[in-house]
Amino acid sequence: MQMTGQIHTYFDGTWHQGDLAVMKAGDHGAWLGSTVFDGARMFDGKMPDLRPHMERVNRSAEAMMIEPTVSVDEWIALTREGLTRFDKGAAVYIRPMYWALMGNETVVQPGYGLGTGFCLALEEIPMAAPEAATTLGKTRFRRPTLDCAVTNAKAGALYPNNGRMLAEVRARGFGNALVCDAMGNVAESATANVFAVQDGEVFTPIPNGTFLSGITRARHIANLRADGVRVHETVMTYADFEQADEVFLSGNLNKVTPVTAFEDTTYEVGPMSARVRALYWDWAASDMVL
């Protein structure tokens, strides 16, 4: 993620310019990790799927046993207000966040209704160039299941596992990790959902509760199906990616990222990646910004 220094933060009832300190040492989120967040985007003057992102951050708070105290409409209004502080045409990452202020009598469990911290950080981060691509390597680390992690939330506590996946494969020269679930089936990459293309059809791991089934992922699936492409959500293994004609990632930060290699298997940046990108940008340019 390219950091530009241009960031505006809404906290404690007002907007602040800069990377504001928002937590105290005694906040439950600071020392016991009860934090959730989401990430939406503004680019080309549009905010595609802003409402689903704000709905998800509130669902994530509930899953983490934090009381969500900002309504979806309030999140959207704050976002629109804050974005007026940026230059026209800026590409901005929109990051709403919640954290618990106190634990209950157990200390470890967040105290639902005992205080919720929140902020909204708007950070100028350029979109990746259309030709930007990455490579994938195998990792020994797995996606957790709901019985051992809060996988039904976009929780900060999940991301250290992603970080060690990235460290492992980047030490071997790859840009990202292709990650399996506890059963050994492919879940996603360390940072984004994944798609494979074979014989003109698109395949992506079926959501099974071990990984975040992204909002941008769902948008790509809907756009492709509306354009006549067959898309399959199915169980996938490493072999499916070794046999693929084309692979690409889907995430909110850059929307579409072609993959040029998975371990020793190489790919061309193919026509489906370009098609997915064109479909998304055409959809985002429409009036459906929320």
Side-chain angles (χ1 to χ4, degrees), residues 3 24 41 65 107 122 186 191 199 204 208 210 230 235 246 272:
M3 310 296 283
K24 296 179 293 186
R41 263 296 201 178
M65 298 171 286
V107 180
L122 306 178
V186 171
T191 65
D199 298 327
T204 189
N208 62 1
T210 67
R230 293 189 66 184
V235 175
E246 186 179 345
M272 193 64 73

Side-chain angles (χ1 to χ4, degrees), residues 127-236:
M127 300 293 288
E131 64 273 14
T134 193
T135 57
L136 297 175
K138 295 179 181 179
T139 174
R140 70 186 186 277
F141 301 114
R142 301 291 181 93
R143 283 284 184 229
T145 52
L146 185 59
D147 59 338
C148 61
V150 191
T151 57
N152 57 338
K154 193 170 175 68
L158 297 173
Y159 282 77
N161 194 38
N162 301 14
R164 63 182 185 169
M165 295 169 186
L166 289 169
E168 180 184 36
V169 299
R170 288 172 70 87
R172 297 196 293 118
F174 297 101
N176 208 325
L178 191 61
V179 184
C180 290
D181 60 22
M183 294 177 289
N185 298 314
V186 171
E188 58 173 348
S189 79
T191 65
N193 296 133
V194 66
F195 292 80
V197 183
Q198 191 163 27
D199 298 327
E201 298 186 8
V202 176
F203 299 81
T204 189
I206 189 167
N208 62 1
T210 67
F211 65 94
L212 196 70
S213 178
I215 291 166
T216 304
R217 172 189 180 276
R219 183 60 58 192
H220 289 330
I221 291 172
N223 287 345
L224 284 167
R225 286 175 173 165
D227 202 45
V229 178
R230 293 189 66 184
V231 182
H232 308 270
E233 296 181 89
T234 186
V235 175
M236 301 184 72

Side-chain angles (χ1 to χ4, degrees), residues 3-8 17-18 85-87 122-125:
M3 310 296 283
T4 67
Q6 174 74 344
I7 183 170
H8 296 271
Q17 185 169 0
R85 302 166 74 91
F86 291 84
D87 293 338
L122 306 178
E123 184 170 4
E124 186 173 3
I125 302 176

Side-chain angles (χ1 to χ4, degrees), residues 6 8 39-50 53-54 76 78-96 120-128 216 252-255 280-281 284 289-290:
Q6 174 74 344
H8 296 271
R41 263 296 201 178
M42 181 178 78
F43 62 94
D44 298 341
K46 297 293 185 178
M47 296 176 286
D49 279 327
L50 179 61
H53 283 285
M54 298 313 187
I76 291 171
L78 283 173
T79 300
R80 291 187 177 278
E81 179 181 277
L83 288 172
T84 64
R85 302 166 74 91
F86 291 84
D87 293 338
K88 184 178 180 181
V92 180
Y93 189 60
I94 301 163
R95 189 169 61 247
L120 175 63
L122 306 178
E123 184 170 4
E124 186 173 3
I125 302 176
M127 300 293 288
T216 304
N252 173 65
L253 193 64
N254 293 316
K255 306 305 179 184
Y280 188 89
W281 257 255
V289 297
L290 298 182

Side-chain angles (χ1 to χ4, degrees), residues 274-286:
R275 187 173 181 178
V276 170
R277 175 179 289 276
L279 287 170
Y280 188 89
W281 257 255
D282 287 348
W283 171 81
S286 73

